[in-house]
Amino acid sequence: MPGSSLFSLTVLVTGATSGIGYETARLLAERGATVLVHGRTAEEARAATDRLVSTAGIPAERVCPFGADFSRLDEVEAMAERVVVEHPHLDILVNNAAIAAPERHTVTTDGNELAFQVNFLAHYLLTGLLERALTRVPGSRVGRVVNVSSSLHRTGSIQWSDPNRARRYARLAAYAQSQLALTVFAADPRVTAVSVHPGICETALLPLYGHNGATAADGASHVVRLCDPAVEIVNGAYYDRDERVEPAPAATEERTVKRLNKLADVLVGHSG
């Protein structure tokens, strides 16, 4: 639809094989965007793009599958390299991929607590690696990052001396920490970013919140709205669905942003 403000934009959506991510990819593609569909494996990503073409009627050239297991940072780096080569001008990055923290304390091969890596560190690394693709030449539009966060970030705290929570692990606390970190990251001055709680939706994460939720498509609509260049955003802002609200106090503290960047740089193996 040439009249759409998303027409001809290129958007990468992480965790786009199911739930809010899949519906976000569908809505963006329906509005004319070229969508890079990320899945944990290349096979899952391909299956999602095939489904978008066959059931949603999306033109095949408008969806591109990308696979990377976010529990492996080397796969995140490899995917970022491929994105930069194939799509050197990226308009929007939707950091959506997320898992519920496991019942038992789990550490990745990179040495990080699983939920903290998949939900935050992988996105921190990916965003940094895609910064050159997202940052256009002076005078033209600068790419936008939309972090799909959670209202549960308000219950979280970052354990600076033990981010892996090896000494005291609780599933909900680990998940909340990862969402708080993602929300703090939106205030990073290096990127134009916002974070959004898309509402409680019927996805794989629903058990963390309760028994009932809105549809994944409803949640996705709030994400897509923030992707639209016609919608003005405030850098670092936090939205509860369509309403801009104040996040947890830590999320806007300059000291916390800098401290988190230093911690994340160490954990992803990059010097700040």
Side-chain angles (χ1 to χ4, degrees):
M1 56 182 72
S4 169
S5 51
L6 288 162
F7 188 77
S8 80
L9 298 190
T10 301
V11 188
L12 169 57
V13 182
T14 70
T17 57
S18 64
I20 290 172
Y22 177 83
E23 294 297 333
T24 296
R26 179 182 65 79
L27 290 171
L28 288 168
E30 285 179 349
R31 292 176 63 178
T34 295
V35 184
L36 315 187
V37 176
H38 161 257
R40 188 176 59 85
T41 65
E43 293 74 22
E44 289 180 16
R46 171 60 67 187
T49 57
D50 288 348
R51 186 153 55 104
L52 286 166
V53 172
S54 63
T55 66
I58 303 298
E61 66 273 12
R62 211 175 280 167
V63 286
C64 313
F66 284 79
D69 184 344
F70 277 16
S71 70
R72 299 184 57 92
L73 294 178
D74 59 339
E75 292 196 17
V76 176
E77 292 184 344
M79 183 179 83
E81 288 178 11
R82 186 185 152 207
V83 169
V84 170
V85 169
E86 297 181 12
H87 302 275
H89 297 304
L90 185 65
D91 295 288
I92 303 157
L93 169 61
V94 179
N95 287 325
N96 166 76
I99 60 166
E103 293 287 354
R104 298 176 67 87
H105 185 256
T106 305
V107 177
T108 69
T109 55
D110 299 292
N112 303 306
E113 189 274 315
L114 182 62
F116 197 58
Q117 177 163 321
V118 172
N119 299 355
F120 166 62
L121 290 173
H123 287 121
Y124 178 89
L125 176 61
L126 180 65
T127 304
L129 294 172
L130 295 179
E131 188 177 350
R132 55 192 162 136
L134 281 161
T135 305
R136 298 286 189 92
V137 294
S140 64
R141 185 173 54 236
V142 175
R144 178 179 296 195
V145 179
V146 178
N147 293 337
V148 182
S149 180
S150 162
S151 58
L152 285 177
H153 87 275
R154 299 184 186 282
T155 70
S157 63
I158 299 171
Q159 298 298 299
W160 300 107
S161 60
D162 183 26
N164 281 350
R165 295 181 172 261
R167 291 192 291 272
R168 188 178 180 185
Y169 179 81
R171 181 190 191 197
L172 199 57
Y175 177 78
Q177 173 181 256
S178 71
Q179 296 305 309
L180 175 59
L182 190 65
T183 304
V184 172
F185 181 42
D188 188 324
R190 294 174 295 181
V191 295
T192 300
V194 294
S195 53
V196 56
H197 169 57
I200 297 170
C201 301
E202 292 190 358
T203 69
L205 296 176
L206 181 61
L208 291 172
Y209 298 88
H211 301 294
N212 300 301
T215 65
D218 183 67
S221 68
H222 304 298
V223 179
V224 172
R225 188 185 79 87
L226 292 171
C227 292
D228 192 335
V231 175
E232 290 190 20
I233 60 170
V234 176
N235 198 35
Y238 171 76
Y239 294 82
D240 187 330
R241 288 157 287 190
D242 286 350
E243 183 181 0
R244 184 187 170 198
V245 297
E246 289 299 315
T252 55
E253 292 172 356
E254 185 178 347
R255 176 174 171 271
T256 301
V257 175
K258 290 180 178 178
R259 193 175 185 185
L260 181 66
N261 287 347
K262 287 182 179 179
L263 174 65
D265 283 335
V266 170
L267 295 182
V268 301
H270 284 207
S271 58

